[in-house]
Amino acid sequence: MNSIDIDVGGTFTDLVLNFQGKALIQKVPTTPYDLSVCFSKVIEEGAGALGMKMEELLPSIDMIRYSTTIAMNRLIEKKGPRLGLITTEGHEDVVLIGRGAQWIDGTRVAERRNLAVQKKPDPLVPRDMIVGVKERIDSRGLVIRPLDENDVREKVRYLVNRGARGFVVSLLWGFLNPVHERRIKEIIRDEYKEFHIGYLPVVLAGQVNGKLGEYERTLAAILDAYLQRSMQIELSAMWDRLRERGYRKPLLMIQSSGGIAEVFRTTACRTFNSGPVSGLMGAHHIAQSLGHQNVVMTDMGGTSFDVGLIVKDSVRSYDFRPIIDRWMVGITMIKTLSVGAGGGSIASVNPLLQKSVQVGPRSAGSMPGPACFNLGGTEPTVTDADVALGYINPDYYSGGRTKLDRNRAIHSIREKIAKPLGISVEEAAVIIHKIVNGNMSSAIMKEVHLRGYSPEDFILFVAGGAGATHAAGYKGDIPKAVLFSFSPVFCAYGSSTMDIMHVNEVSKKLTLMSPRTQELTEDYAGFNDAVEGLLDQARRDLTGDGLDPAKAAFVLELDMFYGGQFHVKRTLSPRLSIHGPEDVRAICTAFNKEFSEAFSPFVVNPEGGVFVESFILKAIVATPKVDLPRMPLEGHDPFAAKKGVRPVFWPQVMDYKETPTFAYERLRPGNRLDGPVVIEGQYTTIVVPPEMHFSIDERGLGILER
């Protein structure tokens, strides 16, 4: 299948192009002022590498998959429309009160320590734009106070008069019985019709996130409404450019749940963190083909460092209430960790902390970028330190298409770090290098140790343009690191391995096993009705994508817990429906096993009863995958790939040393190099320190180990 996979990062936009059996990669700087520019530019570069124009390439492409930071970028800018929130009378202050720890949501540990300046974030919808309407539905979904439609019309006019450019409707228990939420939308449409100049979008919280949790459900709907217009404009611009150049197939977006869906059937909240998630899914695909059960997936780009875990051949580790910027939402996302450590991370001296050096989380991005980019940046970054130490060849950055200015890198480090500390430029660059490596290593250990695992049981996958340069410094106690020819564009590659998947969720509490007596439920209809409703919704979504629901695989997961316990465990259900006690027992057994593995066999408590909190249905349509071919091993000697020698500063000896350099693309399976050595690729540089060696295996993968 001919496909294009694009990942827009904070610094670079990456492309993986599979065309007529050929695979190639490209990178261009991200254009934050208009992401459609870098989107088109990277496709043009890919077409040019094939000797074609975009107009010739795109009509032959079967699928374009896209992961992006649009949603996060626009949220950080706080440039969304003025919204009005309609909720149940008496609950107008729920999103303002928040949860008890809302003031730390989305903040770093260092920020939380300074209690004097802590405060809750400014709300996206201010109090004067929140109204309560006369209605009430109870926790069973029964109407106990009919909707007062005259009150709704009055409140809607009030919000419009105060400047509302969109509405969010989130009623108490509205996800159980949406009759009032839907009627409010009908009333708004009756007042302000689609063909009016003043057309106002309406987002229903029960449709965005049909789950328990009024605060998280409402915030998910607010974020979707807040970002809808800006994302629509940018994505429409991309879509128009594709259509103008002959592309006629769907544009698919990566979702943070681990699947992909057609762009016009995707909500803004579900695209957050899509880049790291696609990287993790790609790592899972490769790990399965290589036979690895436990993998730490790392991606060091220009702006951030992302970590995800594959444990026992599974990526089903979720954030049930993830934080998006400063807001907790009820959208389930695959769990990854991001820290501000990338090639563009800015180094600075903090005079308030005894002149300690800090690296990140601020980033120079792609514009103006590091000082060595010579685009106006003056702050020293990790990339500047790598250039100053001799790791990155300034004449071969991006395969020689971009020339870096080493003198500017040295000048920025000297003025901002070396002089304030009274040390040499090389010592300052080593400090920057060690600090960023330490930050990344700590992030890995936090993910591994705090989940109860040992790093010696894992293998490290290295991705991102800067990952190979720093892998030796951050891998810690993980014995082996694996690098790929497509490591610089790994997230884009990951999206090429992902299946089309729609995820639908609904909260519904059911007792599968009664407390004390351990009697199994006979309420089969309650379980089956919940699943059937999700199946109907999934079939509609797939049909809307132009796919045949009969060719889809449906996977059911259940959020389950024991009576008297706090922890909820998402469990893969062995049954899509239940029709007898043996089906119920099979689900309870699966839950017991997964709960025991996740926490401990000693906390399994069937005597307290087994309960279901939510139903999650995944509708999956498999897509063709790209596999890594096996190649015959050649000799150990990499003489054919040698480029020359150049002075490189090694912290192990605190001095420059003439170091051999090699061309990564010319290394052959079976080649082995003992450090110190520097290996230059088109989009990345591999640094092998003195105590390590690097080899190419039969699949063309780079292996870095002691």
Side-chain angles (χ1 to χ4, degrees):
M1 182 175 67
N2 297 333
S3 64
I4 290 175
D5 295 277
I6 296 175
D7 174 57
V8 178
T11 306
F12 288 100
T13 296
D14 305 336
L15 172 135
V16 173
L17 171 59
N18 291 291
F19 186 75
Q20 295 181 355
K22 297 179 181 179
L24 60 86
I25 65 176
Q26 293 289 336
K27 292 175 79 78
V28 301
T30 295
T31 51
Y33 59 88
D34 185 351
L35 297 184
S36 66
V37 174
C38 56
F39 179 88
S40 296
K41 180 65 176 176
V42 78
I43 297 177
E44 288 178 3
E45 293 285 330
L50 293 173
M52 305 171 68
K53 295 182 178 180
M54 277 184 69
E55 293 80 1
E56 299 174 289
L57 174 66
L58 287 177
S60 303
I61 296 298
D62 301 306
M63 182 182 295
I64 296 180
R65 288 166 286 211
Y66 179 50
S67 58
T68 177
T69 58
I70 290 179
M72 181 60 78
N73 294 346
R74 299 302 169 253
L75 184 58
I76 291 172
E77 293 169 359
K78 298 293 187 294
K79 293 182 179 179
R82 185 171 172 84
L83 299 175
L85 172 61
I86 300 174
T87 187
T88 302
E89 190 175 57
H91 292 257
E92 294 89 344
D93 296 314
V94 166
V95 294
L96 305 179
I97 296 171
R99 288 182 171 268
Q102 189 196 30
W103 62 275
I104 66 170
D105 287 347
T107 61
R108 303 187 306 276
V109 174
E111 294 173 322
R112 298 171 195 172
R113 290 178 180 146
N114 190 359
L115 295 176
V117 299
Q118 291 301 328
K119 66 184 184 71
K120 290 187 177 183
D122 294 331
L124 295 177
V125 182
R127 181 62 182 87
D128 64 339
M129 296 299 292
I130 302 175
V131 298
V133 295
K134 296 179 172 62
E135 69 85 38
R136 184 60 190 271
I137 293 172
D138 69 8
S139 59
R140 295 170 296 172
L142 301 177
V143 177
I144 58 176
R145 185 183 188 185
L147 180 67
D148 187 333
E149 297 191 1
N150 291 329
D151 182 55
V152 171
R153 294 180 189 276
E154 180 182 334
K155 299 292 176 52
V156 167
R157 294 189 188 108
Y158 162 83
L159 292 174
V160 171
N161 289 338
R162 296 195 67 86
R165 301 305 308 145
F167 295 100
V168 175
V169 183
S170 181
L171 304 180
L172 194 64
W173 301 105
F175 68 97
L176 277 183
N177 184 351
V179 59
H180 286 174
E181 286 191 356
R182 290 175 179 171
R183 180 56 189 151
I184 290 175
K185 183 174 182 177
E186 291 173 358
I187 292 172
I188 295 173
R189 284 285 162 268
D190 184 55
E191 293 281 331
Y192 306 96
K193 300 184 185 298
E194 290 89 339
F195 53 83
H196 287 166
I197 294 175
Y199 168 77
L200 302 171
V202 182
V203 175
L204 304 185
Q207 291 181 347
V208 171
N209 181 26
K211 291 177 62 180
L212 186 69
E214 186 180 1
Y215 172 64
E216 298 93 331
R217 185 175 68 255
T218 304
L219 274 181
I222 289 174
L223 287 179
D224 270 341
Y226 191 76
L227 298 167
Q228 185 185 59
R229 183 59 179 165
S230 61
M231 288 191 68
Q232 182 186 44
I233 291 172
E234 296 218 23
L235 290 169
S236 295
M238 296 176 189
W239 183 247
D240 291 341
R241 293 189 183 199
L242 291 174
R243 288 298 183 188
E244 289 168 2
R245 289 163 174 79
Y247 182 66
R248 295 293 180 265
K249 298 296 175 63
L251 174 61
L252 303 175
M253 287 198 73
I254 311 303
Q255 297 187 328
S256 49
S257 58
I260 54 179
E262 212 271 335
V263 66
F264 297 113
R265 310 184 74 83
T266 299
T267 60
C269 279
R270 297 187 187 277
T271 67
F272 277 89
N273 214 34
S274 58
V277 167
S278 63
L280 184 59
M281 298 303 291
H284 184 226
H285 169 69
I286 294 175
Q288 286 181 319
S289 65
L290 298 179
H292 296 306
Q293 292 280 311
N294 300 322
V295 176
V296 176
M297 174 62 203
T298 62
D299 186 333
M300 183 185 182
T303 303
S304 64
F305 177 71
D306 304 310
V307 182
L309 295 190
I310 301 167
V311 180
K312 295 181 179 179
D313 195 31
S314 173
V315 294
R316 291 194 308 109
S317 180
Y318 299 101
D319 274 327
F320 297 109
R321 293 184 176 92
I323 306 299
I324 296 177
D325 190 24
R326 297 293 307 277
W327 315 104
M328 179 184 290
V329 299
I331 302 292
T332 303
M333 298 182 181
I334 289 180
K335 184 178 292 185
T336 61
L337 174 67
S338 294
V339 296
S345 294
I346 295 172
S348 60
V349 174
N350 190 335
L352 300 179
L353 293 176
Q354 299 180 338
K355 292 188 176 181
S356 64
V357 177
Q358 295 177 326
V359 181
R362 290 191 305 127
S363 174
S366 60
M367 294 184 180
C372 61
F373 278 20
N374 200 15
L375 295 174
T378 59
E379 301 283 352
T381 66
V382 172
T383 298
D384 292 313
D386 291 337
V387 171
L389 294 172
Y391 298 148
I392 293 178
N393 182 354
D395 295 324
Y396 194 67
Y397 194 75
S398 291
R401 291 184 300 175
T402 301
K403 304 294 184 181
L404 303 183
D405 192 330
R406 186 169 185 265
N407 291 331
R408 285 185 178 273
I410 292 173
H411 178 77
S412 67
I413 295 173
R414 179 187 294 117
E415 296 301 316
K416 299 298 177 73
I417 306 294
K419 280 186 177 180
L421 297 180
I423 59 178
S424 69
V425 169
E426 289 77 13
E427 289 174 308
V430 167
I431 289 174
I432 294 171
H433 202 263
K434 287 185 175 180
I435 289 176
V436 74
N437 287 346
N439 292 344
M440 293 185 290
S441 181
S442 296
I444 293 173
M445 293 305 103
K446 177 181 178 181
E447 281 294 281
V448 174
H449 285 304
L450 292 186
R451 294 203 206 174
Y453 306 119
S454 173
E456 291 82 4
D457 297 331
F458 285 78
I459 190 170
L460 183 75
F461 280 8
V462 179
T469 309
H470 291 263
Y474 69 66
K475 80 182 191 69
D477 295 329
I478 300 175
K480 182 188 293 186
V482 180
L483 295 90
F484 308 87
S485 60
F486 47 84
S487 280
V489 296
F490 196 94
C491 290
Y493 168 84
S495 65
S496 72
T497 70
M498 295 173 69
D499 297 323
I500 297 174
M501 181 169 72
H502 287 276
V503 181
N504 297 300
E505 307 178 50
V506 65
S507 286
K508 184 173 184 178
K509 285 195 173 182
L510 286 177
T511 302
L512 291 185
M513 181 185 290
S514 299
R516 296 187 300 277
T517 64
Q518 298 189 41
E519 292 182 0
L520 301 178
T521 183
E522 295 182 355
D523 183 16
Y524 307 143
F527 185 99
N528 295 337
D529 288 347
V531 176
E532 194 57 42
L534 293 174
L535 284 168
D536 289 341
Q537 188 175 345
R539 293 185 184 108
R540 289 194 299 269
D541 290 340
L542 291 173
T543 302
D545 283 350
L547 301 170
D548 183 1
K551 295 181 179 179
F554 297 98
V555 177
L556 179 65
E557 294 179 349
L558 304 170
D559 287 343
M560 303 176 67
F561 63 97
Y562 291 114
Q565 292 193 3
F566 175 77
H567 290 291
V568 174
K569 178 71 178 75
R570 180 157 295 185
T571 303
L572 181 63
S573 173
R575 304 285 191 274
L576 266 181
S577 59
I578 57 176
H579 303 284
E582 65 281 359
D583 295 328
V584 180
R585 189 174 291 108
I587 295 174
C588 291
T589 300
F591 170 60
N592 291 341
K593 182 176 183 295
E594 291 201 25
F595 194 93
S596 172
E597 292 175 349
F599 301 104
S600 166
F602 300 106
V603 294
V604 172
N605 183 35
E607 293 80 7
V610 177
F611 302 87
V612 175
E613 184 178 80
S614 297
F615 293 74
I616 304 92
L617 184 77
K618 297 180 178 179
I620 303 169
V621 177
T623 59
K625 308 293 190 297
V626 179
D627 289 320
L628 301 174
R630 292 180 183 271
M631 296 173 282
L633 294 176
E634 302 179 19
H636 289 311
D637 193 345
F639 68 92
K642 189 167 183 179
K643 297 181 69 173
V645 295
R646 70 164 183 266
V648 176
F649 193 93
W650 295 102
Q652 291 81 357
V653 296
M654 287 305 291
D655 199 359
Y656 286 99
K657 182 177 180 179
E658 289 295 321
T659 303
T661 61
F662 292 81
Y664 182 47
E665 287 78 14
R666 297 207 301 264
L667 291 174
R668 305 301 305 154
N671 287 176
R672 175 188 170 107
L673 302 95
D674 294 321
V677 67
V678 174
I679 305 165
E680 297 176 357
Q682 184 175 6
Y683 293 112
T684 191
T685 300
I686 303 167
V687 175
V688 185
E691 70 276 10
M692 292 188 178
H693 67 82
F694 181 82
S695 60
I696 304 293
D697 73 2
E698 62 182 354
R699 294 181 182 271
L701 306 180
I703 308 298
L704 180 67
E705 53 191 341
R706 291 188 182 278

